[in-house]
């Protein structure tokens, strides 16, 4: 029987649905435990727990606003105390509040930056303290195609995702001497609740931009995350891996 001392401990932020859930499922294994955060839907969190369990893994959903430093610090301390280690951190949580820059409310700018960028900073800060002590860790940040290419009407989201790219590169250099790798995955258009709700004409316009001619699936992002978290990627750090069907290279 696996005990808390010999199983891999994985944290995924924003793991209750979409890409986050797919990432949690990719780590499902009898020798792992996945802690994932969510902010709103308890029902969706329960569903992620169930699906991971169905794959012979263990998952625990924790309601947490990662934009609040003190709460995030307590979250990491609690897991470290209970499990004795944290092996992998996947920073996936993110929100959108779109609008043209001239009309964007300051609160919409702050909310997106606080969750997407500051939240990623908070999680890396507190996870890295634990990983530095154990001299091992894998950190994977989820950024976005638009963090590299830009996008009209999403100045706050684009800025947050571009910030994550810079944060990834800085932390990779800083943490490499302690055997901690830091990489990012930049999804393009992926089949999620957000893309499913788009009008058909918008979807058609998106498809015309993608050389592979289709929208990606959440598990195709999760597979790259799983690779970056593995020993097979031990010599990869500071990299941004685009998963976008060729739309931006």
């Amino acid at each position: 029987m696996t005990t808390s001392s010999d199983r891999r401990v994985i944290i995924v932020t924003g793991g209750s649905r979409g890409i986050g859930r797919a990432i949690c499922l990719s780590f499902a294994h009898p020798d792992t435990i996945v802690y994932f955060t969510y902010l709103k839907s308890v029902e969706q969190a329960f569903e992620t727990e169930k699906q991971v369990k169905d794959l012979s893994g263990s998952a625990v959903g924790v309601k947490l606003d990662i934009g609040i430093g003190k709460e995030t610090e307590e979250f990491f301390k609690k897991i470290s105390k209970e499990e004795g280690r944290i092996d992998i951190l996947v920073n996936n949580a993110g929100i959108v509040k779109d609008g043209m820059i001239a009309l964007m409310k300051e609160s919409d700018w702050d909310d997106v930056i606080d969750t997407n960028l500051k939240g990623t900073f908070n999680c890396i800060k507190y996870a890295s303290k634990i990983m530095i002590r154990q001299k091992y860790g894998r950190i994977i940040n989820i950024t976005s195609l638009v963090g590299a290419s830009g996008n009209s009407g999403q100045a706050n989201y684009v800025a947050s995702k571009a910030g994550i790219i810079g944060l990834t590169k800085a932390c990779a250099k800083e943490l490499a001497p302690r055997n901690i790798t830091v990489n990012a995955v930049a999804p393009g258009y992926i089949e999620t609740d957000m893309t499913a709700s788009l009008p058909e004409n918008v979807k058609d316009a998106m498809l015309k931009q993608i050389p592979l001619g289709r929208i990606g699936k959440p598990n195709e992002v999760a597979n790259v995350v799983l690779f970056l978290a593995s020993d097979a990627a031990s010599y990869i750090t500071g990299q941004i891996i685009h998963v976008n069907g060729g739309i931006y290279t």
Side-chain angles (χ1 to χ4, degrees), residues 5 35 107 112 129 153 155 182 186 213 224 233 247-248:
S5 62
Y35 290 90
S107 60
V112 171
K129 291 182 179 183
V182 187
V224 178
I247 190 172
Y248 178 91

Side-chain angles (χ1 to χ4, degrees), residues 27-42:
F27 284 114
H29 188 276
D31 293 335
T32 66
I33 181 165
V34 179
Y35 290 90
F36 67 91
T37 71
Y38 67 96
L39 196 55
K40 292 182 179 179
S41 177
V42 176

Side-chain angles (χ1 to χ4, degrees), residues 204-225:
D204 291 341
M206 286 165 48
L207 284 172
K208 288 177 182 176
Q209 299 177 58
I210 304 170
L212 283 180
R214 65 176 179 84
I215 294 176
K217 298 183 181 301
N219 69 290
E220 293 178 304
V221 178
N223 288 338
V224 178
V225 172

